[in-house]
Amino acid sequence: MSARVDVKLVNLTIDGNPVRVPEGTLLVEAAKAVTTDIPVYCYHPKLGPAGLCRICLVDIEKAPKLQIACNTTVTEGMVVHTYGEKVDAGRKAVMEFLLLNHPLDCPICDKGGECDLQDYSMAYGASASRLADPKSSKPKAIDLGPTIVLDDERCIVCQRCSRFDEIITNERSLVVKDRGQRDVIATASGEPYRSNFSGNVTELCPVGALTSKTYRFKSRPWDNARTHTTCTQCSVGCALNVDERYGAITRTMSDEDDAVSDGWLCDRGRYNIAFYGDARRITTPMLRTPTGEFVQIGWDDAIERWAKHLRDAVASDGADSIAAIGGGRLLNEEILVLAQTMRALGVTHLDWRAGRQRQASPGAYGGTYVDLETADLVVAIGRPPSQTAPVLDLRIRKAVRNGARYVTVGSHPSDSFVVSSHLARVSDLAAHVESATRVAFVWDGIDAAVGAQAAELAESLAARGTHVSTFVASEQSNARGAEALGMSPQNGSADSDGIFAAARAGKLRVLSLLGVNPMLHHPLGASAIRDAIERTDFVVCTELFLTETAKLAHLVLPARAAFEKSGHVYDLAGDVLAVNAGHTAPEGTLADADMLVALAAELDVTIAAPDSLHAQASAAIVATATAFGDPKFARASDATSETIGSKGDARNGVRIAIAANIFSGGGSVYFDERLAALRPSPTATFARETAATLGVHAGDLVDLVAGERTLVGLVAIITDTAPSGVVTVIDGLPDAPANEFADGETVALANVRSAERALTAGAV
Amino acid sequence: MQSVIGGVVALAKGFATTLQFAFQKKPTVSYPNVKIQHAPRFHGLHELRRYDDGKERCIGCELCSIACPANAITVIGAENTPEDRRSPGERFAARYEIDELRCIFCGLCEEACPTDAIVLTPRFEMADYRRSSFIYSKDRLLVPQDAGKGTAPDERPNGIPSDLGSVIEQKSTVDIMAGYGATHRGEILKTERKGLAG
């Protein structure tokens, strides 16, 4: 409800109950005040009224006919009856039309059991159809895209899906094709329906027309045991329901959550669940023998070895020979136990940064998600949040729908569908912020220099009285928690760069890597990280799978994933969100917290009582009010900030932009069989004129070279949205790891193979 | 005096009733050589039926499972593929299991089934030595491809499938092969017997 005081209230009567609601309220919403449920199909609180299905008929006194509650606003003195003979007869007539061609699929329909059409048909519908002719037949089980199956016969054309695609995501690909009884849902272009938010239409669909491929026939709704938890795939922290059946996760569904997710989920959060039950998961601690083979060992043995190596290292070379990296993917409680155990040993080389991101806290102007949607200027700096924090991008799209302008800054192609303008530098923002009263900055946390420029701008805007809110869309889900809870370098101790440098210099005895994969993500690059790990006496890695990094470790400990443990995380806006175990973990795995508590016990280290951890974690975020773009977070080797966005000379080489993709990564997505169709293949994206200058055509295979480092076999894509002189590649792909390349550095194009030649080569 | 006469009369009545039963035909039969005719809608062991074209009737909708008051039925659905089409629609039962020890033979599964796939046959003899063998999975429930399509309950007058031809009289001697073995399992039993004889 709005906080403004000048809202005029209207008095009306609904089913004999006096109701006072703000002027302009829709009748269907006003009825919720007296807990009267008016049936709806096309109406949805987030999508607004459409007046298509007519099921919400109500009787308004003095109105000549029944009115639809979803598109009628309340007026003073209105007397409404939401049930009664007249209303029921009206709804029965509407149901007859809706069910006219609806197939009797309920027993095999994935929606059966949680279907509004079923429920209202039981409540208002006739028991038999009066239709004498055969029902119209339409295509069934249509492959609408990589995630969605469409059944046109079941569709009642409420248009929730196409309105979601138009209003909420602004992508406008789903439309209603043809008219009358021949109308079907389709994409306007005829191409497969591809969207990072496609799963939401299956939840919006009030019937079983749109269903998820990953959930198809997995279970019936009543079989699922549901757990409410928080999605930890990215730093947004959307509310999520996990449905489990016979020990396997069948699906995840969104939950009403206006403060964080706004009720939506991205496809990564929704569909990336098959890895939980993947046979490739590690389920027993594994120790590397001197010959390089892994042997399975018991948990007691594993923890003892870890503790022994830590103790020996402290005794022989001091605590400086020990380091730990991790925390960005752990729960708050786990981060605290990790930091406390390590610090009790005297270890100071602790860092959560395992990728490009340097900073996770948004500083003094840290805003809430609602601040973002009420901004009139949203500035995204660096990697677009559409790929790092997709549901945050929906908030930005909501802000744009409310009239905001969305400006992106940096060298990445903007793919948010709502970008007003694209700028190369933060300094170019001056003209845009002039008229703005509420400005939101969304930074990727990578380039501290750019962050500092944005912080300076934010400071000056705030001084002028402009409302400023800042956000950091992190690479790792709980990066903000890790930074606040002690897994960041303090008083000059080494960050992850320094830790790996010390390891390469042979100064490190024990390195613990908890839930991180620096081989794929750390900007030092795979060869440097491999060198660092090989020169360290003992490397412990807690992982779900044998990732690039885990394969090199001396001891691999099987960890539990997010739905298998309980605790809390921070979202990027600083809210503490509860994570609840909703899936039975494979036997033999342990949560990182349990391993660390066992380690602490083995080391005779006293850590805080488990009950007090949550309170400690919640208090910590208040204590770390670091500035947005604080120079202390800067990377020692960061020299690229000035060159980002400047037009490179395309004839000699191009600047490389390393983009995020929501389906990249070497862990949960890579080991998810059901997501194979969504994983991006290695691509190189060029602007049209840059491609023309370089002589690259769409579909060509290209290699990128910078000194010794190469990226081989990228498929060229040509778009109009990419900045000129820049080639964009996707970060975090195990098949083409781009982490060795610095964002913005100049790379040369080599070995361009035309699409036909590449095809022939492939055939041979 | 009167009470003595009354007592004797009552005694005589009581003995007369007892004596009556002594001369009546005994209800006990020498099972298993003699078997008693079922009630017309007797509920015995389950069977999963097929359509005329050999496709499975079961679509894996799990309505039997949710209707089951004893929680004895487990169904897991899967999608038909064009190469391997098990049932007419999009969905079929990849797994279908009934724990016959939990089953109370109420017949609600039969009633809930939208395709008349699961039926209760008259067969009740399923003794075994292991509990695990009472979990009947699809390989024992589904009528084999070459054993017909199964018999619907209403095609079975007096609890004996109509294809047997004759209705057997109350408390008659029933040939196990002809009567209780009238389901597809009876067919299997027959062949097994033949095999043994040969």
Side-chain angles (χ1 to χ4, degrees), chain A residues 425-710:
Chain A
R425 290 185 194 82
V426 175
S427 50
D428 300 339
L429 274 168
H432 290 83
V433 297
E434 219 40 61
S435 57
T437 56
R438 294 176 69 87
V439 184
F441 290 93
V442 183
W443 180 42
D444 59 1
I446 293 175
D447 195 323
V450 174
Q453 290 169 21
E456 205 177 304
L457 180 64
E459 198 74 46
S460 68
L461 285 174
R464 280 202 329 232
T466 308
H467 181 276
V468 174
S469 50
T470 53
F471 304 85
V472 179
S474 295
E475 287 175 336
Q476 299 179 53
S477 55
N478 201 13
R480 191 162 178 190
E483 194 173 274
L485 300 174
M487 278 309 293
S488 43
Q490 289 162 7
N491 308 324
S493 60
D495 64 358
S496 60
D497 283 13
I499 290 168
F500 287 122
R504 294 183 77 183
K507 290 185 208 153
L508 220 54
R509 297 276 317 267
V510 184
L511 173 62
S512 307
L513 302 168
L514 293 103
V516 291
N517 187 1
M519 283 289 287
L520 186 60
H521 297 293
H522 201 278
L524 285 175
S527 49
I529 304 291
R530 181 190 297 272
D531 190 37
I533 292 176
E534 279 168 0
R535 281 169 196 262
T536 307
D537 288 355
F538 195 68
V539 177
V540 183
C541 189
T542 72
E543 256 302 350
L544 304 179
F545 297 98
L546 272 182
T547 59
E548 295 84 347
T549 309
K551 277 179 194 157
L552 302 174
H554 301 93
L555 178 63
V556 183
L557 300 175
R560 289 188 176 176
F563 296 160
E564 296 164 352
K565 52 192 182 184
S566 296
H568 296 83
V569 289
Y570 279 111
D571 68 5
L572 65 89
D575 308 304
V576 179
L577 304 170
V579 173
N580 300 309
H583 178 238
T584 324
E587 215 169 309
T589 59
L590 276 186
D592 291 70
D594 298 333
M595 301 177 204
L596 290 162
V597 168
L599 179 72
E602 189 68 33
L603 289 167
D604 279 329
V605 167
T606 316
I607 49 168
D611 301 347
S612 69
L613 287 173
H614 173 50
Q616 275 190 43
S618 308
I621 200 92
V622 185
T624 52
T626 46
F628 195 61
D630 194 314
K632 80 173 179 194
F633 291 110
R635 217 174 155 224
S637 59
D638 257 348
T640 55
S641 58
E642 275 309 302
T643 57
I644 284 187
S646 61
K647 284 196 165 69
D649 186 353
R651 272 162 299 181
N652 298 331
V654 279
R655 304 216 175 277
I656 189 167
I658 321 262
N661 184 292
I662 71 166
F663 291 109
S664 69
S668 62
V669 173
Y670 192 70
F671 290 94
D672 191 328
E673 301 256 298
R674 289 194 224 149
L675 287 192
L678 295 174
R679 278 197 293 268
S681 51
T683 53
T685 309
F686 300 90
R688 200 165 293 283
E689 67 269 24
T690 312
T693 323
L694 295 165
V696 176
H697 303 283
D700 286 357
L701 285 181
V702 300
D703 297 350
L704 299 177
V705 183
E708 295 283 292
R709 299 156 297 156
T710 52

Side-chain angles (χ1 to χ4, degrees), chain B residues 102-114:
Chain B
R102 292 196 88 168
C103 178
I104 57 167
F105 300 96
C106 65
L108 283 183
C109 49
E110 195 177 79
E111 225 160 286
C113 185

